[in-house]
Amino acid sequence: MYAYIKGEIVDITDDNLVLECNNIGYNIRIPLSVAQRLPGIGADVKIYTYTSVREDAFNLFGFLSKDDLEIYKKLIAVNGIGPKGALSILSAMSADDLRFAILSGDAAAIAKAQGIGKKSAERIILELRDKVSMMSKSDLDSEDLTTGTSVDTGTKNEALEALVSLGYTPSDALRAVRQIEITEDMDAGTVLKQALKIISTL
């Protein structure tokens, strides 16, 4: 129903945001990760929303990026994972960490979310493993403006996996790799070396 709402923050709690737009206050359910990244009361913010309509409830769920919203939509499409369950998962871990948990088959990491058991976590991995990438949609859509070709996500993924195996978190690894302008002649080892220099400054 609503693609996004842009307005002034009136109130913030761990799981809810009140956003005023055109003299209307919207109650928007948010994961803890969003609550922690929001600016203060009185600031303007753009929230990407998902509308959940049921016989007994009409709820808005909000996120700070389209990518987070897309991950949320994928989660609620999994059998047995409703809007609240998906919100709980994204409160316990970032979208980037969730991607890595899905691709690496780490059900235990997903099951740490409140209300999500091991079987539900395994179902999420089973149903979404072929539907997610370590790179966000914006990364996958990015192109080399000189050649017009898509960025080599395979090289990025190899570098990401290497960084995580060295003990860095998936989120830090992604932030580092995203800052690298990858050319066709760069292999995963070259990207890894540059990422290690960047990640030491994060």
Side-chain angles (χ1 to χ4, degrees):
M1 184 174 184
Y2 301 106
Y4 64 84
I5 300 174
K6 185 175 182 180
E8 180 182 337
I9 297 174
V10 177
D11 187 41
I12 307 170
T13 63
D14 287 348
D15 62 358
N16 194 78
L17 165 70
V18 178
L19 197 65
E20 182 176 330
C21 177
N22 294 327
N23 296 316
I24 299 174
Y26 294 90
N27 270 312
I28 304 174
R29 298 292 305 279
I30 55 174
L32 180 60
S33 57
V34 169
Q36 293 172 337
R37 288 184 287 153
L38 285 171
I41 303 297
D44 288 335
V45 69
K46 184 177 183 179
I47 299 293
Y48 295 91
T49 58
Y50 172 80
T51 306
S52 173
V53 179
R54 296 185 175 182
E55 291 183 2
D56 59 345
F58 180 99
N59 290 307
L60 285 174
F61 295 85
F63 306 89
L64 285 170
S65 71
K66 287 183 179 179
D67 185 48
D68 285 356
L69 175 59
E70 289 306 311
I71 286 290
Y72 178 78
K73 288 180 179 179
K74 285 181 171 65
L75 280 172
I76 61 176
V78 175
N79 185 34
I81 306 296
K84 290 183 179 179
L87 203 68
S88 176
I89 293 170
L90 291 175
S91 288
M93 62 200 313
S94 69
D96 288 338
D97 288 338
L98 175 60
R99 279 194 195 89
F100 190 81
I102 291 171
L103 292 174
S104 63
D106 190 353
I110 301 173
K112 290 179 181 178
Q114 185 175 1
I116 302 298
K118 184 180 179 181
K119 288 185 178 180
S120 293
E122 290 173 344
R123 189 180 305 118
I124 289 170
I125 291 170
L126 179 65
E127 294 190 25
L128 298 186
R129 180 170 279 166
D130 295 332
K131 298 179 181 179
V132 301
S133 164
M134 274 300 293
M135 309 311 296
S136 68
K137 186 178 185 301
S138 59
D139 290 317
L140 293 173
D141 289 343
S142 65
E143 293 185 340
D144 184 322
L145 298 180
T146 303
T147 64
T149 58
S150 297
V151 170
D152 185 352
T153 55
T155 299
K156 284 189 173 184
N157 282 339
E158 285 184 43
L160 285 168
E161 291 173 3
L163 286 168
V164 173
S165 70
L166 290 172
Y168 296 102
T169 67
S171 293
D172 284 345
L174 281 166
R175 280 197 292 270
V177 172
R178 283 173 178 167
Q179 293 181 46
I180 301 170
E181 184 176 346
I182 298 179
T183 59
E184 292 183 0
D185 61 339
M186 292 172 67
D187 59 16
T190 303
V191 175
L192 176 60
K193 289 178 182 178
Q194 291 191 25
L196 285 169
K197 292 179 181 178
I198 294 171
I199 208 167
S200 65
T201 66
L202 295 177

